[in-house]
Amino acid sequence: MRILISGITSFLGISTGKALLKKGHEVYGILRPESRNKERLKGEKGMQLLSLNMESFLLWEKENGIEAEYTNSTTEGGITTESNSTTERGITTENNSTTDRHAIDNSLSLPSLARLHFDVVLHFAWDGVGSLGRSDIATQEKNLCMSKAFFSWAKAHGVKRFFFAGSQAEMGKGSREEPLPASPYGEKKLAFSEYGLKNHGDMEFIDLRIYSIYGKGDHERSLVKTLVRNTLRGMETELGSGNKIWNFMAEEDFGRALAFLTDLDVPTRKEESRSQRSSESEGENPERENNEKQLDLASYGQNKDCGSFTIDICSRESRLLSDYIKEIEQIGFSFLKKKGLRYSGESLLRFGLRPPNVEGDYDFTAHTKELSALGFEEIVSFSSGIEELYEFIYEEEFLKA
């Protein structure tokens, strides 16, 4: 399939793109023209990078009007541009070379993008994900508007399935079934989730509620990377109470989970379509029938409309955040011992010194069995994933220094 990923240089975008490439899909990623992060994808053979501002979709929506959401008549994107020297796929490559380097289109227009005819869109692009940005109402409102415009563009151009990268912030102090977001970030992400579930039409909309993903590509000030570095350095780490339920998933498993869902044959939830499918293919496709049974077993929140559901992207284990943190430190002590390095063996964790972030200090109770009910299996245990991260940071930052 031909797949488009917004926010391709983000931690989650990169993990997903790599997993989709491994499964043989044709992957295109949107990044800002001024992006400094394209080097993160250096060496990823087959990845096509498209230089485009997400604001372009707001202009497209404005010029096409509200009817753009409900028609497929906007083949050229509704924008008048100078003709581009595009290839059959509408891509102009850097130095006209697509050998073993990823291609970058430096003058992409939305009509060129439309000519690629994508099967699937995965939407990760969302500004203001840090603590300060999550409280910025203007930034989060802009995210919502751009996401709606991108959604409408995808729907108008024949995209079959649209994935949205939501998060536990949408639940806040509530639950997935009764969300009470505690920040503008959570509020606007929830608003887009609800918009997509309601307005997807014939385009399938998969609302992903993503929990805490950790790994080599995570941002440098993340909790997990901070704990690993401080343990290696013998430094104290100031923490919150840690007395809330949490869930961690390895980046490799995250990418595999999204590739799995991309390939999953999601049965329609319209009764007439289900009856028609049964009469046409009864006994002919046992794998599809099994997927349908698994989908019925899994809980997808309130919305069970045709091709529209919410699913938690998380590991099969949830426990106290403080337990995870203590395990990270103990794995670090074992790592230091194995390397023959000195360490005191006394805990350097200082709980209760940091106030809660903008999301508050609430439990996040993940639906841990949904992915496995569909047939997905994790391959990275928390302990092995953290051990690998210790090795990576030690080699990259300590041995080289």
Side-chain angles (χ1 to χ4, degrees), residues 253-311:
D253 279 333
F254 170 80
R256 289 178 56 252
L258 264 64
F260 171 84
L261 290 173
T262 299
D263 287 342
L264 189 67
D265 187 12
V266 182
T268 179
R269 293 194 176 276
K270 287 183 179 177
E271 290 304 321
E272 64 272 22
S273 298
R274 180 175 296 183
S275 300
Q276 182 181 4
R277 187 175 63 255
S278 297
S279 62
E280 290 177 352
S281 60
E282 186 174 359
E284 295 179 6
N285 193 338
E287 183 178 353
R288 181 184 180 118
E289 291 173 6
N290 185 50
N291 276 342
E292 181 167 350
K293 290 178 182 177
Q294 290 171 331
L295 279 161
D296 288 335
L297 288 173
S299 59
Y300 294 121
Q302 311 97 306
N303 196 312
K304 297 182 184 296
D305 192 10
C306 169
S308 166
F309 60 82
T310 298
I311 186 169

Side-chain angles (χ1 to χ4, degrees), residues 13 15 23 76 79 111 158 244 300 312 401:
S15 300
K23 297 195 76 174
E76 290 301 307
I79 296 178
K244 54 185 175 183
Y300 294 121
D312 284 4

Side-chain angles (χ1 to χ4, degrees), residues 21-33:
L21 284 172
K22 284 182 180 179
K23 297 195 76 174
H25 293 296
E26 193 175 348
V27 180
Y28 292 76
I30 296 175
L31 75 166
R32 294 184 181 92

